[in-house]
Amino acid sequence: MPVSTHSDSHDTNGPRQVTPSLLRDWPLPAPGEDKYSRGAVLMIGGARTTPGATILAGIAALRAGAGKITLAVAESVAVQVGVAFPECGAVGLPETADGSVTGEGLDLISRYLERADAVLVGPGLDDSDLAGELLTRLLEREELGGEGPAFVLDAYALGGLVKIKERLEPWRGRLILTPNPTEAGILLGRDVNHLENDVAAVAEQYGAVVSCQGVIARPSGEAPGEPELWKITTGYGGLGTSGSGDVLAGAITGLRARGTSDAQAACWGTHLHAAAADRLASKLGPLGFLARELADELPALMLELNT
């Protein structure tokens, strides 16, 4: 019986290349019989001026195969989000006079937190201090006991994470971060000089799986004998477009909700995101395709890779 390529011995001096062959030997969970068997996702974000980021992430999660999704956004835009994205449930959260989501009102989404398999925090948030307060209150819920959902943090939630770095033990083993290089520098408190080494450093410092610009890392010792660093082998410059990171975070969250490991969700999601850009570049040109179009490519790519 062949050994899965994701767990083979590897060159410890470099990352494992994420190829279609590797992913085919690391298959996604079976789709199940209904939406309840494919995982529930909760997304927290969507300030008044940026609700579209949460919608993009939500669509990507469903395109990645998640079964149910709820978006918790600023109260002033919750109805509009629900109308624009009829496949989701939309819940309004308390906001400041300027429309930024605050850390209050978690009781409004308590039942969604309890039922979620994966929670994404960040897309569409616009204040790192308020994001830090939100993360603190989410962690306080976790500290009360019980095994909770996986947490994926993106965008302004990453800036908030720095402020509570010493309190992350409750999320250890179920935390995924999706920074860009600038945000990785914020997490490290210094400039990013060598992407592979620095992404691995973020994973160690925060006890999380990290996906940053095609490099994925998990903390050393988390899975003895298996890779700790991967690199995507595909992707196109057109990925540098507004909303692209929201699609990546949403895809990873949707895959995680389906029952993958953190590392598998990050590797699969990052590859799918990059491969979707390749598809669009070949059809539309190297620049000018939209983030929302990336999500539409995910189901066909998964079918090709998972069969």
Side-chain angles (χ1 to χ4, degrees):
M1 182 175 179
V3 178
S4 296
T5 58
H6 75 278
S7 59
D8 290 346
S9 60
H10 67 294
D11 180 1
T12 57
N13 295 319
R16 171 63 56 83
Q17 302 296 303
V18 178
T19 63
S21 176
L22 181 146
L23 295 175
R24 289 189 181 101
D25 285 339
W26 200 4
L28 295 173
E33 298 180 355
D34 55 34
K35 62 185 178 182
Y36 301 101
S37 63
R38 296 202 305 275
V41 170
L42 172 65
M43 295 188 175
I44 305 173
R48 185 188 303 159
T49 59
T50 48
T54 319
I55 293 174
L56 286 171
I59 291 172
L62 290 186
R63 290 294 196 192
K68 296 188 66 179
I69 189 161
T70 302
L71 305 188
V73 298
E75 186 176 21
S76 60
V77 294
V79 171
Q80 295 94 316
V81 165
V83 172
F85 185 12
E87 295 87 351
C88 80
V91 181
L93 293 176
E95 60 187 274
T96 67
D98 294 328
S100 298
V101 174
T102 72
E104 301 173 356
L106 290 188
D107 56 314
L108 297 171
I109 57 172
S110 179
R111 65 189 179 103
Y112 300 105
L113 282 166
E114 291 169 359
R115 297 173 183 174
D117 296 289
V119 178
L120 171 59
V121 186
L125 295 181
D126 61 0
D127 187 301
S128 63
D129 290 332
L130 290 174
E133 294 176 14
L134 172 61
L135 294 178
T136 297
R137 297 191 184 207
L138 286 167
L139 274 167
E140 287 171 350
R141 287 176 52 90
E142 298 282 315
E143 289 167 354
L144 295 177
E147 180 70 15
F151 276 83
V152 183
L153 306 186
D154 183 49
Y156 272 84
L158 297 168
L161 186 66
V162 176
K163 302 173 176 63
I164 57 170
K165 184 177 178 180
E166 306 306 319
R167 299 187 59 179
L168 298 180
E169 186 60 33
W171 284 347
R172 183 168 291 277
R174 52 193 176 96
L175 181 62
I176 304 174
L177 310 180
T178 58
N180 60 34
T182 299
E183 291 162 342
I186 292 171
L187 290 168
L188 291 172
R190 59 172 173 80
D191 291 340
V192 169
N193 299 311
H194 186 288
L195 190 63
E196 293 170 12
N197 292 344
D198 290 336
V199 172
V202 174
E204 291 293 335
Q205 289 189 28
Y206 290 86
V209 168
V210 182
S211 173
C212 177
Q213 202 168 327
V215 176
I216 301 100
R218 65 174 159 199
S220 60
E222 186 175 90
E226 295 196 0
E228 295 169 356
L229 191 66
W230 296 264
K231 189 171 184 178
I232 301 302
T233 59
T234 187
Y236 213 90
L239 278 174
T241 188
S242 180
S244 177
D246 302 312
V247 172
L248 172 62
I252 290 173
T253 305
L255 293 169
R256 182 62 179 83
R258 290 178 57 184
T260 67
S261 68
D262 294 348
Q264 185 182 18
C267 287
W268 265 88
T270 308
H271 176 88
L272 290 170
H273 181 248
D278 285 345
R279 290 283 176 89
L280 290 172
S282 68
K283 291 189 290 187
L284 302 176
L287 296 176
F289 53 82
L290 305 178
R292 75 184 75 162
E293 295 168 324
L294 292 167
D296 293 341
E297 300 292 327
L298 301 182
L301 286 165
M302 286 191 299
L303 179 63
E304 292 171 17
L305 290 168
N306 218 36
T307 55

